[in-house]
Amino acid sequence: MSTLILLLVTGVGLGGLYFLVASGLSLIYGLMGILNFAHGSFLTLGAFAGLAAASAVGQDTWGGLALGLVVGAVTGAAAAAVTELGLIRPLYERHIEQVLVTVGLALASVALFEGIWGPNPRTVRRTEWLTRTTEFLGARIPNTAFLNILAAALVLGVIVAFLKYTRYGLIIRAGVENRAMVTALGIDVRTAFTLVFAVGGAAAGLGGVLATQSLNYVSPHMGASLLIFAFIVTVIGGMGSLPGAAVASVVVAVLQQLANYFLANTGDFIVVLLLALVLLVRPSGLMGRRAA
Amino acid sequence: MSTAPTMNTNVLEVRGLSARIAGQEVVHDVGFEVPASGVTAVLGRNGVGKTSTLRAILGLIERTGEVLLDGRRVDGERTERIVRRGVGYVPEDRDVFAGLTVAENLRLAERTGPHGTTPERRRLVDGLFPDLVRRAQQRAGTLSGGQQQMVSLARALLNDNRLLLVDEPTKGLAPRIVDDVAGALAAAARTVPILLVEQNLKVIERLAERVVVIDAGRVVHTGPAPELLGDPDLIQRLLGVHADGVEPPGADPATTAVGHQKGGAR
Ligand SMILES: Nc1ncnc2c1ncn2[C@@H]1O[C@H](COP(=O)(O)OP(=O)(O)OP(=O)(O)O)[C@@H](O)[C@H]1O
Ligand SMILES: [Mg+2]
């Protein structure tokens, strides 16, 4: 029983990390129709920048972590906004080229990160509390899981409120439905493009710093590995659906944890199986409005 | 006002407009004028390029040629820029945002700037469509076709536009709702010139002063509306329908729809 609790809670915590990446992917795809392969790079850059800032205060202090999270989010947002303005916007409406550019950026940035920080993972120092566990319903849960769940819930809340209560949120929701009609109402939808990149980049940068706390290291490749699962989550949830991404993040991560424990480390395999199943039975995903 | 140069008597001039969809030219060298008041109707059989002409004017599809709004070339501009110069668009299939509430649909359409939303315009819209005020919090996707058409019209009427482009607003609506929509358009036309694509000859007879007939992507006739409506042979030749029901009261409105034979094209 306590094992099950442990797997479920750590699964939800991992799902939180997936969601931080998948939320941006989903928003960007929903509004712009672009699969952003560079999203993992925003995460990695956010992680390195966040840790560098945290080091100035002390990586193992709460102040250092807080500063790291802020700097990670800001760095992710800035990198994403620059990417959109510099590389995506000049290729307006040329979707294949846009996706190819993000693929190129993803490959080039990993090489750049390796050049700067070396190819190998570096251990991070964490605040003492995050190295410990807390007893919850008889299970000893790593405290990083709680941090991830809290952060993902907050980000979900902020994005939902942004979409629901702001003018740009309204434009984004309308644009996901029918972009041409938004421009036919006199709205320059390109500003919303930059904004979804920035919001998605911020969530990814935040996720990068959080991932270093769970993994206990930072590496030039961490973005790419999380991105794969975030893509799977986005497809299973329904391309462009934020609630879908939230639900699918948790489903995928919990399933992965359970399969890894009970089915001899087959977590990744089971997830891909689930992906295939969803694509066969419900190609638009759990909450997708229409087939992409 | 009295001695305005001829250029300014037309709110819209279209010259040599051609447009392509997926590499195929569907509008060929179209030219016509829309005077600064009243309703100018665009007619033609199904699939001749009426919708494409409106979309080309707005830059929603690839086009060449000249489009002048109030005498100023706008054909090089992006859609949102043209719209902000005061062009309201009511598209063929209403294109309301189904997941947004009625109030959100209207809020999204509100513009700032010289041709933007004004309190008088808001009052006009609330007066014309009291139903929408009651249904402000309803999701637009759950509205009836007629109600969705009201939302689509309201979005365009909220702003102090120079011109409205309205595409088949009565399509697929019950006769009584057609009357409601035509009434709203008549009221709107007193405040802003309208370029109206319409198949229902009764609606055209009620609203339009002038007609532009398109066939196979080209303008084949322009002139005063009564001249066309009073000439059954011309109607038969240009539109391929009999003009029954235009004059006699009580005629079945369905028989007045142009190009019935291909009505299910979409
Ligand atoms: N998305 C599209 N892809 C390919 N061809 C299209 C598309 N939209 C329109 N067309 C073609 O362009 C031509 C003009 O279409 P358009 O919609 O402008 O006609 P229309 O006069 O508005 O017709 P209707 O009376 O049925 O609304 C048609 O031959 C149509 O098949
Ligand atoms: Mg049409």
Side-chain angles (χ1 to χ4, degrees):
Chain A
M1 183 62 196
S2 69
T3 308
L4 193 63
I5 298 287
L6 174 70
L7 292 172
L8 286 178
V9 178
T10 52
V12 177
L14 181 63
L17 286 184
Y18 289 167
F19 174 74
L20 290 174
V21 185
S23 54
L25 286 180
S26 193
L27 280 175
I28 291 168
Y29 182 84
L31 184 65
M32 307 171 66
I34 298 173
L35 284 176
N36 179 27
F37 284 86
H39 215 68
S41 306
F42 306 155
L43 182 146
T44 309
L45 194 62
F48 275 107
L51 284 183
S55 302
V57 181
Q59 279 189 6
D60 51 1
T61 65
W62 283 108
L65 178 62
L67 181 67
L69 290 171
V70 170
V71 169
V74 170
T75 305
V82 168
T83 301
E84 200 284 323
L85 289 170
L87 298 175
I88 305 294
R89 181 173 291 199
L91 296 170
Y92 189 71
E93 290 292 310
R94 289 159 63 185
H95 289 263
I96 294 177
E97 284 93 330
Q98 286 175 327
V99 173
L100 287 177
V101 158
T102 70
V103 172
L105 185 62
L107 297 174
S109 62
V110 170
L112 180 68
F113 299 153
E114 284 186 344
I116 299 173
W117 291 294
N120 299 318
R122 298 178 179 195
T123 314
V124 299
R125 280 178 296 122
R126 301 177 291 181
T127 73
E128 208 254 321
W129 185 77
L130 284 176
T131 64
R132 286 196 275 118
T133 59
T134 297
E135 184 147 338
F136 177 72
L137 299 176
R140 303 198 64 82
I141 314 283
N143 287 339
T144 49
F146 297 117
L147 181 66
N148 291 341
I149 294 170
L150 178 71
L154 279 177
V155 166
L156 175 62
V158 167
I159 295 180
V160 166
F162 167 74
L163 289 177
K164 195 162 163 57
Y165 297 114
T166 68
R167 170 126 186 118
Y168 271 110
L170 185 60
I171 292 171
I172 290 166
R173 280 185 290 145
V176 168
E177 269 193 49
N178 185 345
R179 205 154 24 121
M181 193 58 218
V182 173
T183 67
L185 292 177
I187 296 163
D188 187 351
V189 77
R190 293 175 304 174
T191 316
F193 291 175
T194 312
L195 205 60
V196 289
F197 257 81
V199 169
L206 193 72
V209 177
L210 287 171
T212 66
Q213 304 296 298
S214 297
L215 299 168
N216 202 20
Y217 65 76
V218 57
S219 121
H221 305 282
M222 58 194 292
S225 30
L226 270 169
L227 185 66
I228 294 171
F229 290 104
F231 266 131
I232 293 176
V233 159
T234 310
V235 173
I236 290 179
M239 304 290 296
S241 162
L242 192 73
V247 170
S249 294
V250 172
V251 169
V252 165
V254 167
L255 202 67
Q256 211 175 3
Q257 295 288 76
L258 292 177
N260 275 339
Y261 186 84
F262 292 113
L263 297 172
N265 265 323
T266 53
D268 296 0
F269 175 70
I270 294 288
V271 165
V272 173
L273 216 59
L274 175 68
L275 173 67
L277 192 74
V278 167
L279 285 177
L280 280 174
V281 177
R282 214 181 141 80
S284 57
L286 297 178
M287 301 193 183
R289 266 188 310 266
R290 55 190 169 222
Chain B
M1 267 293 181
S2 52
T3 57
T6 47
M7 190 183 81
N8 289 341
T9 60
N10 292 321
V11 63
L12 182 76
E13 288 180 37
V14 174
R15 297 177 192 150
L17 184 71
S18 297
R20 332 179 126 255
I21 298 175
Q24 176 126 8
E25 194 170 289
V26 293
V27 174
H28 320 287
D29 195 20
V30 158
F32 59 87
E33 281 137 33
V34 179
S37 70
V39 174
T40 303
V42 177
L43 295 86
R45 290 176 244 239
N46 284 118
V48 296
K50 304 180 296 295
T51 296
S52 301
T53 299
L54 294 197
R55 290 171 61 80
I57 290 169
L58 282 171
L60 284 166
I61 54 175
E62 205 187 319
R63 83 292 206 211
T64 56
E66 295 182 13
V67 178
L68 290 89
L69 188 66
D70 283 323
R72 173 207 283 266
R73 289 278 297 266
V74 297
D75 44 79
E77 297 184 350
R78 299 172 54 82
T79 300
E80 64 267 14
R81 191 86 197 83
I82 299 172
V83 170
R84 295 190 83 84
R85 291 191 185 282
V87 182
Y89 180 43
V90 182
E92 181 164 22
D93 293 309
R94 286 122 203 179
D95 284 351
V96 299
F97 298 100
L100 273 50
T101 64
V102 169
E104 285 174 333
N105 267 277
L106 299 185
R107 192 142 38 88
L108 193 67
E110 290 194 356
R111 301 198 308 258
T112 54
H115 305 292
T117 310
T118 62
E120 301 83 65
R121 284 265 149 199
R122 280 207 191 91
R123 274 196 294 278
L124 172 79
V125 167
D126 288 351
L128 278 177
F129 311 115
D131 211 21
L132 298 186
V133 179
R134 279 194 297 277
R135 296 176 183 276
Q137 296 312 314
Q138 189 175 337
R139 273 167 35 111
T142 64
L143 296 171
S144 72
Q147 291 161 346
Q148 291 191 2
Q149 189 63 65
M150 302 296 177
V151 172
S152 196
L153 276 169
R155 284 192 310 204
L157 289 174
L158 269 175
N159 297 296
D160 207 8
N161 284 313
R162 296 285 302 124
L163 170 70
L164 298 191
L165 306 179
V166 182
D167 197 349
E168 294 207 42
T170 65
K171 184 177 156 190
L173 301 181
R176 198 172 53 81
I177 313 296
V178 169
D179 286 345
D180 290 350
V181 169
L185 282 169
R190 286 192 282 276
T191 67
V192 60
I194 300 178
L195 181 63
L196 173 71
V197 175
E198 180 56 67
Q199 309 252 34
N200 185 321
L201 294 180
K202 272 187 161 177
V203 172
I204 290 185
E205 186 186 32
R206 174 169 171 193
L207 295 175
E209 277 106 67
R210 295 158 302 273
V211 294
V212 176
V213 183
I214 295 183
D215 197 15
R218 296 174 201 280
V219 174
V220 290
H221 173 90
T222 45
E227 183 187 300
L228 175 72
L229 295 173
D231 187 341
D233 292 340
L234 192 59
I235 290 179
Q236 169 67 28
R237 187 160 57 78
L238 294 175
L239 303 173
V241 288
H242 297 289
D244 320 336
V246 176
E247 293 290 346
D252 177 9
T255 61
T256 63
V258 176
H260 239 339
Q261 62 281 8
K262 282 170 63 189
R266 274 163 199 273

